Amino acid sequence: MPHPAFSVCVYCGSRPGSRPAYAALAQRLGRAIGQRGWQVVYGGGRAGLMGEVADAALSVGARVIGVIPDSLMRLEVGHAGLSELHVVRTMHERKQMMAEHADAFVAMPGGIGTFEELFEVWTWRHLNYHDRPIGLLDAEGYWAPMVGFLTRSCQEGFMDSGQLAMLSVDDEVERLLDTLFTRRGSPRSPMLDQI
Ligand code: AMP
């Protein structure tokens, strides 16, 4: 059986942010994933940066999989034009399913939903539930204060540099995608279904 396309799970804002650079970055990411013949997995919404990533990937013929809980779907925020839209019961099912469909994770600028998804999948990686790479895609120095705080956490003895090194931070889309592909893990992470 041929190996399915490399699949990138994108976490990003359901809002566009206050600068045009964020939407531009989301469009570059969606297009770049699609132009590589890769697949996007994301939260299934059509608003904000989420919609920008999905639309850009679809515009170059990429397969885009959305996973959305029933409650958000009922608020009519689901994207109607995706290759697949899975409507699941709970947020937990959603995040697990997104992770199960992913070979790599990218967090773009976003708010609390994005933070939660990033920190959860990073914790799962640290605890060896999966071995897939995680990237932070930056624009306008958005992530810099958080990276500064994470460095402080290492200095203060609550994290170690190995944990921090699990995040690949970059502001250049193609370079980040190359890094994630180089750092890809095993085709099947045995413990994701045990979360
Ligand atoms: P936030 O960063 O708070 O805007 O939340 C965005 C992240 O949380 C996305 O990566 C989604 O997976 C999830 N999310 C939050 N709001 C929505 C929404 N209205 N529709 C779909 N997913 C959402």
Side-chain angles (χ1 to χ4, degrees):
M1 205 164 82
H3 192 279
F6 194 70
S7 184
V8 181
C9 178
V10 180
Y11 304 132
C12 63
S14 58
R15 305 180 193 199
S18 55
R19 298 169 196 258
Y22 298 126
L25 183 71
Q27 290 159 7
R28 278 206 300 285
L29 178 65
R31 268 198 310 272
I33 293 172
Q35 282 161 351
R36 287 171 181 240
W38 294 0
Q39 164 179 288
V40 172
V41 180
Y42 83 116
R46 61 177 154 79
L49 299 189
M50 300 177 72
E52 299 287 355
V53 171
D55 288 340
L58 289 167
S59 76
V60 294
R63 187 172 171 73
V64 180
I65 300 179
V67 187
I68 195 162
D70 194 37
S71 49
L72 283 179
M73 195 63 190
R74 272 187 272 117
L75 293 174
E76 294 188 290
V77 293
H79 192 306
L82 303 179
S83 320
E84 278 175 36
L85 181 62
H86 298 269
V87 182
V88 295
R89 213 169 46 85
T90 66
M91 284 296 269
H92 290 291
E93 278 176 53
R94 170 209 228 173
K95 289 182 292 176
Q96 184 169 356
M97 188 172 195
M98 287 166 74
E100 280 173 356
H101 279 80
D103 296 303
F105 303 91
V106 173
M108 286 198 52
I112 54 174
T114 303
F115 305 151
E116 195 258 4
E117 292 168 328
L118 166 67
F119 278 90
E120 183 169 66
V121 86
W122 185 13
T123 308
W124 290 347
R125 164 89 197 240
H126 166 61
L127 297 176
N128 280 323
Y129 281 90
H130 69 88
D131 60 359
R132 299 166 192 183
I134 305 169
L136 265 190
L137 181 58
D138 207 355
E140 304 286 317
Y142 180 74
W143 289 120
M146 187 184 79
V147 172
F149 175 74
L150 295 169
T151 304
R152 174 168 158 76
S153 174
C154 288
Q155 288 160 352
E156 296 300 312
F158 291 106
M159 280 176 52
D160 59 60
S161 54
Q163 286 173 302
L164 196 49
M166 288 171 187
L167 291 187
S168 304
V169 186
D170 211 316
D171 59 7
E172 213 277 301
V173 169
E174 296 290 351
R175 192 171 51 207
L176 181 63
L177 294 179
D178 286 344
T179 303
L180 297 177
F181 190 72
T182 303
R183 294 177 140 205
R184 68 192 179 280
S186 52
R188 278 279 141 246
S189 291
M191 282 169 56
L192 261 178
D193 61 348
Q194 291 168 39
I195 288 166

